[in-house]
Amino acid sequence: MSAPKILVIPGSLRTGSHNARLAALAVAEFVRADVEVDRISLGDFPLPIYDADLQAKSGVPASAVRLKQMIGAHDGILIVTPEYNASLPPLLKNAIDWVSCVQAPHEARGQVFHGRTFAIASASAGRFGGARCLAQLRLVLCACRAMVIPNQFALSFAADAYDDMERLKHPADADAMRAMVRQLIEVAGNAR
C-alpha cells in the first residue's frame, strides 16, 4: 500500500481561527507520518449562497468545479470546522452543497464524494469542542455517500489547548489527533 494523498480543509476564514490553527497542527502530523498533504482555504474558492434557480440559470460556479477537482485529486480529506449555533458554519455547508452539484457527463451527481475517505475535526472555546457540529457534518458527508472514518477529534477549550511551541498541551488531545490522522491514512490508503 502506498501512502495516500491527503487534503486538509479548514472550515473557517476568520483571523485567529481555532480551526485553522488545528488544521495547521494536523498538517504537521501528516508530514511527520511522511504523507503528502495539501491544505487549502475555502476563501480561494468563493461561492454564492447555493440557489437551485441560480444553478439552472448560470450553471455551477467555476470555483465549485475547481474545489471538486481538488477533492478528487486526493485520497483522503480532513475537514476541520468551527461550530456555529451547534451546527455547521454556512461557509462549509455551502461549499459541500455546491460541490455535490458538480457533475461531469460520465459521472453521477456528487460522485467525488462517493466512497472517498473523510475525517472530521473541530475546535471550540467551549467544553464540547464542536462535537455537535461534527455529528451533523458526519450526517451530511454520509448523505453525499462519503466514507467518514470513525475517529474524529473535538478540541475543547481551544484557546488554552496549546503550549508555547504550538503543540497540544494535554496528552489525551495529542493522542486523539494522532489516532485520527493514522486512521485516515490507513483507510484512505486501503481504499485506493
Side-chain angles (χ1 to χ4, degrees), residues 6 13 23 61 80 88 99 103 120 129 169 177 183 186 189:
I6 303 295
L13 302 178
V80 186
L88 296 171
V99 169
Q103 182 178 4
I120 55 176
K169 282 186 204 175
M177 167 69 89
Q183 190 172 59
E186 179 183 345

Side-chain angles (χ1 to χ4, degrees), residues 11-179:
S12 175
L13 302 178
R14 184 178 61 81
T15 301
S17 163
H18 295 308
N19 289 279
R21 193 176 185 190
L22 186 59
L25 186 65
V27 167
E29 284 293 329
F30 286 114
V31 169
R32 274 192 283 285
D34 202 26
V35 172
E36 184 179 349
V37 61
D38 295 306
R39 177 181 167 190
I40 62 170
S41 169
L42 291 177
D44 294 331
F45 301 88
L47 293 165
I49 297 297
Y50 179 76
D51 177 346
D53 290 338
L54 175 64
Q55 180 185 357
K57 179 181 174 186
S58 305
V60 175
S63 288
V65 174
R66 287 189 310 108
L67 183 54
K68 180 246 184 188
Q69 291 168 341
M70 180 64 76
I71 291 169
H74 292 80
D75 305 301
I77 315 298
L78 169 60
I79 297 176
V80 186
T81 182
E83 179 177 282
Y84 289 6
N85 298 316
S87 187
L88 296 171
L91 173 72
L92 178 59
K93 180 63 167 70
N94 192 56
I96 292 170
D97 289 345
W98 273 116
V99 169
S100 73
C101 294
V102 179
Q103 182 178 4
H106 62 283
E107 292 180 333
R109 183 176 171 180
Q111 187 165 333
V112 74
F113 291 105
H114 298 183
R116 191 162 313 277
T117 307
F118 282 76
I120 55 176
S122 184
S124 168
R127 69 174 178 214
F128 296 119
R132 296 169 295 190
C133 173
L134 292 181
Q136 293 188 21
L137 179 55
R138 182 177 295 277
L139 183 66
V140 168
L141 291 171
C142 288
C144 291
R145 297 177 49 196
M147 206 304 284
V148 184
I149 64 170
N151 281 348
Q152 63 184 37
F153 182 51
L155 181 63
S156 303
F157 307 112
D160 299 316
Y162 297 88
D163 64 19
D164 57 355
M165 300 290 290
E166 284 299 301
R167 295 174 302 208
L168 292 171
K169 282 186 204 175
H170 304 292
D173 289 337
D175 290 347
M177 167 69 89
R178 280 191 294 274

